[in-house]
Amino acid sequence: MADMCNDDDTHPAGMAGGAHLLGFSDEILLHILSHVPSTDLILNVRCTCRKLAALCLDKSLVHTVLLQKDYQANEDKVKQLVKEIGRDIQHLSLAGCYWLSGSTVEHVARCRSLVKVNLSGCHLTSLRLSKMLSALQHLRSLAIDVSPGFDASQLSGECKATLSRVRELKQTLFTPSYGVVPCCTSLEKLLLYFEILDRTREGAILSGQLMVGQSNVPHYQNLRVFYARLAPGYINQEVVRLYLAVLSDRTPENLHAFLISVPGSFAESGATKNLLDSMARNVALDALQLPKSWLNGSSLLQHMKFNNPFYFSFSRCTLSGGHLIQRVINGGKDLRSLASLNLSGCVHCLSPDSLLRKAEDDIDSTILETLVVSCCNLRHLNLSAAHHHSSEGLGRHLCQLLARLRHLRSLSLPVCSVADSAPRADRVPAQPVMHAVPRGFGKKVRIGVQSCPNPFSGQTVPQPSSVFWSLLKNLPFLEHLELIGSNFSSAMPRNEPAIRNSLPPCNRAQNVGDSEVAAIGQLAFLRHLTLAQLPSVLTGSGLVSIGLQCQQLQSLSLANLGMMGKVVYMPALSDMLKHCKRLKDLRLEQPYFSANAQFFQALSQCPSLQRLCLVSRSGTLQPDAVLAFMARCLHVVVCHMFTGESLATCKSLQQSLLRSFQAERPALNVVIFPLLHEGLTDVIRDVPMVHLDEITLFKSRVAEEPPNLWW
């Protein structure tokens, strides 16, 4: 960059065929610079020449500074950045910057013009938070963590004055507390994430009664959005009830989004029933999510009023297709405003009656067709964790109906739902063939495997005519795809011991194999891909098609591919990885997986890789190969491996990695631990929430939350 920016040169060294970077208009240069991390922009690029120095300080570039996932932003860089442009920053995100000390985060107080600040995942005491907020008089949007030891009585008058003007609050609770909610008297949007563990490290049982005596009068009168997401555990349910108690007394008149995400059951109380009755009478919602026990068997949806809804989540509810059409879609009512719909785990949502249906029964295609016609502008749809089997009939397959949703950008489906209703004569046969499949590490081709388009053949292969191929052909702009087995459950659930056994895959999933995986290669804009419990993946050759053609792929999650106990797709995966130049996150869950030198050598060819999580019951790893991989891949900051190795081997490797790379990678987070060890839960609790939520734990992420829930 310095060579191209010599101000004294009439013909800079960067000239190439008459073109030069600085010859572009300021508008184009500003667009290019907007993709440069703020720390590099201000501390490096700005120093190259006078023109770039001026552009780097343009209001459009310094108005908003996003440091989340800027893993190279160490303490000194952040302090220097704030010193240089702190007075101009209005929106600042340090979300997930767990590696920064509290004293460094405190420098945010110098950004006096801040209107929005996200400090989720940062280390802050009550006193530091008070000092910082006291200086931010223009603040209107705030995100913080409330950790053990938080004391609202330590907040100064100036701090409380700032909080009284805050309109948007996102609060992640790691201890029973109201946090700063009672101080925020002007709240319009409240997001609560409950991550409280039932027991302390010492084994003491926590209780919501710890909140007795704290200020407990949240001000909800101006509230427009209420969102609560609970991690597993009784204590989280106990605490959220205290937050809801005030809402049940008086429902805000302007409330238009009410969302509560709860794993498992969450019993309805008298207070919550009063709240729902009040909402049904007094407000019209445009976003709704409720615990399944609040909806199951109730007529609540029939009485709720909606005004141009954009988000619905009925995850895990026993909502029948009949109820879905009658109470939500109102018999085919126009719902063009609906952008996101989560029906994950709604096993009966595409059948007219939930009482008589068995899991393996075929869906009622007329219900799905009504849904597709009414919600024609859907951008995010989740139908996972259910058996949605299509019957024979021209144009009535689930994939054929979903192909009409041309605006879809993210889609989650059960594996069995994409299988053809019956074998078709014109489909590529799964017979012994002589086509060469992608080889890895010099292995010979296997004979007698399912065929798929061969990326290396150099010849045009006729496109298979399966309904899944056709679906993806009609959704060329899909960015997020999940294919998850109906019976799949991760071996590593939240806050519980590892699962030792898993349910067998659905029989129809046996018809989905390498050819269907290869079909995903049509998605040129694909960024996020999850494939879980595909038993008929034989060679994994379809993965190579994805690697070659999906050049935008940034995150990849693979789990339980092929027959259990055998990892036969390793050569294909290795060939795939060398094409994944933009891959940042890889999560691999596979029993008996051997994380050997060959695997890590292939993984080293992903130059953008930042996070790796490996979960393998009875799996093995080679410590020397891991160390060599980390030395080659300089951007990797997360290395999580849960295998069948001994505790001593895991501890030794973890210590070696931290000792070798911690100094040069401030955000480095290494967890190497036996998957089936009884102490796994205690180890998991120390993983930064940003990694635990995004890569360590497996879950469906399509339509998990309303779009643009937080800036």
Side-chain angles (χ1 to χ4, degrees):
M1 180 73 78
D3 289 339
M4 294 192 298
C5 298
N6 186 340
D7 292 317
D8 298 325
D9 288 346
T10 307
H11 302 287
M15 295 285 287
H20 183 264
L21 175 65
L22 297 185
F24 291 122
S25 67
D26 287 356
E27 289 77 11
I28 293 178
L29 287 174
L30 286 172
H31 179 73
I32 294 173
L33 293 174
S34 69
H35 295 279
V36 179
S38 295
T39 49
D40 281 338
L41 190 73
I42 302 302
L43 305 182
N44 296 323
V45 178
R46 189 168 68 99
C47 303
T48 55
C49 68
R50 285 193 293 270
K51 180 168 184 176
L52 287 181
L55 288 176
C56 287
L57 294 179
D58 187 85
K59 182 179 179 180
S60 65
L61 298 180
V62 299
H63 173 276
T64 300
V65 173
L66 307 177
L67 296 181
Q68 74 266 28
K69 297 187 180 178
D70 184 356
Y71 300 120
Q72 304 305 315
N74 59 28
E75 309 258 349
D76 292 336
K77 288 183 179 180
V78 173
K79 292 176 183 178
Q80 187 64 25
L81 179 72
V82 170
K83 180 180 178 181
E84 296 286 343
I85 62 169
R87 64 186 179 278
D88 300 313
I89 302 175
Q90 295 189 29
H91 298 174
L92 173 63
S93 178
L94 293 175
C97 292
Y98 53 87
W99 61 90
L100 298 178
S101 65
S103 59
T104 297
V105 176
E106 193 176 328
H107 279 65
V108 170
R110 300 183 180 183
C111 306
R112 304 278 176 150
S113 300
L114 273 181
V115 177
K116 295 184 175 184
V117 63
N118 190 339
L119 302 174
S120 297
C122 294
H123 302 291
L124 280 177
T125 62
S126 307
L127 289 174
R128 278 209 164 100
L129 179 66
S130 177
K131 180 179 178 181
M132 191 164 35
L133 295 185
S134 297
L136 305 179
Q137 299 181 8
H138 302 288
L139 196 66
R140 297 296 181 269
S141 179
L142 172 66
I144 59 169
D145 290 352
V146 177
S147 302
F150 179 86
D151 185 358
S153 66
Q154 295 180 340
L155 302 180
S156 67
E158 293 84 355
C159 172
K160 292 180 179 178
T162 296
L163 289 170
S164 70
R165 295 184 288 270
V166 168
R167 296 174 185 170
E168 300 176 353
L169 176 65
K170 178 182 178 182
Q171 192 169 257
T172 304
L173 296 156
F174 294 95
T175 187
S177 173
Y178 290 107
V180 300
V181 171
C183 302
C184 301
T185 56
S186 303
L187 274 183
E188 297 179 6
K189 177 187 285 189
L190 177 60
L191 278 58
L192 299 168
Y193 293 76
F194 296 86
E195 298 289 344
I196 313 167
L197 295 174
D198 290 342
R199 294 176 181 270
T200 65
R201 293 183 184 278
E202 295 74 29
I205 300 176
L206 289 176
S207 169
Q209 295 302 313
L210 294 176
M211 297 169 65
V212 174
Q214 298 181 21
S215 174
N216 60 353
V217 188
H219 299 270
Y220 293 151
Q221 62 269 22
N222 299 317
L223 206 61
R224 295 174 56 81
V225 177
F226 180 90
Y227 175 87
R229 192 187 81 177
L230 283 66
Y234 174 79
I235 183 65
N236 290 309
Q237 297 186 15
E238 185 178 354
V239 174
V240 78
R241 290 188 190 279
L242 297 174
Y243 278 86
L244 291 172
V246 177
L247 271 179
S248 64
D249 292 336
R250 181 182 177 185
T251 306
E253 296 178 358
N254 295 321
L255 189 68
H256 70 92
F258 186 78
L259 309 118
I260 301 181
S261 174
V262 182
S265 60
F266 184 34
E268 188 178 14
S269 65
T272 56
K273 188 177 187 304
N274 292 338
L275 168 61
L276 297 175
D277 290 341
S278 176
M279 287 171 53
R281 290 193 308 269
N282 301 317
V283 300
L285 299 175
D286 56 26
L288 177 67
Q289 178 177 8
L290 296 175
K292 63 178 183 179
S293 55
W294 296 14
L295 285 174
N296 291 347
S298 75
S299 59
L300 176 65
L301 289 177
Q302 193 170 352
H303 302 293
M304 281 284 184
K305 294 186 286 291
F306 300 109
N307 180 31
N308 295 322
F310 67 89
Y311 178 80
F312 284 144
S313 177
F314 303 111
S315 179
R316 305 288 172 180
C317 294
T318 56
L319 186 71
S320 71
H323 288 163
L324 179 66
I325 299 300
Q326 296 167 17
R327 299 178 181 177
V328 180
I329 304 178
N330 196 16
K333 179 183 177 181
D334 184 356
L335 282 180
R336 295 185 185 182
S337 61
L338 196 65
S340 186
L341 177 61
N342 191 337
L343 295 172
S344 171
C346 296
V347 297
H348 307 297
C349 68
L350 299 181
S351 300
D353 195 328
S354 61
L355 297 178
L356 303 177
R357 183 181 187 269
K358 297 179 182 178
E360 62 273 13
D361 289 345
D362 292 340
I363 64 172
D364 185 337
S365 59
T366 60
I367 292 175
L368 180 58
E369 187 170 21
T370 302
L371 177 67
V372 167
V373 171
S374 302
C375 310
C376 57
N377 290 325
L378 273 177
R379 296 177 63 86
H380 314 283
L381 176 62
N382 194 327
L383 293 172
S384 64
H387 297 268
H388 295 316
H389 299 166
S390 298
S391 58
E392 294 186 55
L394 187 62
R396 314 306 295 172
H397 193 283
L398 177 141
C399 289
Q400 293 171 316
L401 294 172
L402 293 183
R404 303 182 191 177
L405 296 173
R406 300 301 179 91
H407 297 283
L408 276 180
R409 293 298 178 268
S410 64
L411 177 63
S412 182
L413 294 174
V415 174
C416 56
S417 73
V418 306
D420 279 343
S421 307
R424 295 176 49 169
D426 58 346
R427 188 179 176 193
V428 174
Q431 300 177 8
V433 291
M434 296 303 295
H435 294 306
V437 296
R439 302 184 183 93
F441 309 127
K443 292 195 175 183
K444 301 298 183 182
V445 62
R446 292 182 61 196
I447 304 301
V449 299
Q450 190 176 22
S451 67
C452 76
N454 176 19
F456 295 108
S457 65
Q459 302 174 357
T460 302
V461 180
Q463 175 176 305
S465 57
S466 73
V467 289
F468 186 55
W469 273 86
S470 299
L471 170 64
L472 299 187
K473 181 180 179 181
N474 284 281
L475 302 177
F477 300 109
L478 206 62
E479 298 176 2
H480 190 160
L481 176 64
E482 296 177 346
L483 273 184
I484 304 175
S486 306
N487 295 329
F488 176 74
S489 58
S490 174
M492 195 168 65
R494 183 73 181 276
N495 297 345
E496 299 173 14
I499 295 177
R500 296 172 182 265
N501 300 306
S502 57
L503 294 174
C506 173
N507 286 334
R508 288 217 186 181
Q510 305 287 348
N511 298 324
V512 180
D514 293 310
S515 181
E516 283 71 23
V517 173
I520 299 171
Q522 299 175 89
L523 303 176
F525 297 96
L526 190 68
R527 294 175 180 271
H528 310 281
L529 175 63
T530 295
L531 300 174
Q533 201 179 41
L534 279 76
S536 290
V537 168
L538 300 180
T539 65
S541 52
L543 294 173
V544 186
S545 296
I546 297 173
L548 280 168
Q549 300 173 65
C550 302
Q551 289 295 300
Q552 304 297 319
L553 192 64
Q554 294 181 9
S555 69
L556 176 64
S557 177
L558 304 176
N560 293 10
L561 302 187
M563 297 176 61
M564 295 295 287
K566 297 182 180 179
V567 187
V568 296
Y569 63 91
M570 187 59 221
L573 175 62
S574 300
D575 280 330
M576 173 198 189
L577 290 174
K578 69 182 181 183
H579 302 293
C580 296
K581 302 305 181 184
R582 298 189 181 184
L583 189 68
K584 294 182 178 180
D585 297 339
L586 174 63
R587 187 185 191 277
L588 186 58
E589 179 168 343
Q590 187 78 37
Y592 302 98
F593 187 84
S594 176
N596 54 26
Q598 293 175 324
F599 168 70
F600 284 110
Q601 179 64 42
L603 195 57
S604 299
Q605 299 182 70
C606 300
S608 301
L609 192 68
Q610 295 179 334
R611 300 191 291 187
L612 170 66
C613 179
L614 176 62
V615 180
S616 181
R617 188 176 69 248
S618 303
T620 60
L621 56 82
Q622 293 181 2
D624 291 344
V626 179
L627 286 164
F629 157 73
M630 290 292 288
R632 287 192 298 266
C633 295
L634 304 180
H635 297 294
V636 175
V637 293
V638 173
C639 183
H640 293 174
M641 297 186 185
F642 307 95
T643 65
E645 296 287 356
S646 68
L647 181 61
T649 299
C650 292
K651 281 189 173 182
S652 175
L653 177 57
Q654 178 171 316
Q655 291 170 0
S656 296
L657 289 171
L658 291 172
R659 186 169 54 248
S660 301
F661 306 107
Q662 183 79 71
E664 60 193 42
R665 305 181 199 183
L668 185 65
N669 184 253
V670 177
V671 182
I672 316 289
F673 204 77
L675 178 62
L676 300 182
H677 193 280
E678 59 184 7
L680 178 64
T681 301
D682 291 332
V683 170
I684 288 297
R685 70 189 297 170
D686 292 326
V687 175
M689 186 56 58
V690 62
H691 302 319
L692 186 67
D693 193 53
E694 293 181 2
I695 188 167
T696 310
L697 299 177
F698 182 96
K699 64 177 177 179
S700 175
R701 292 177 169 82
V702 172
E704 180 187 17
E705 294 180 342
N708 305 316
L709 183 62
W710 194 252
W711 58 278

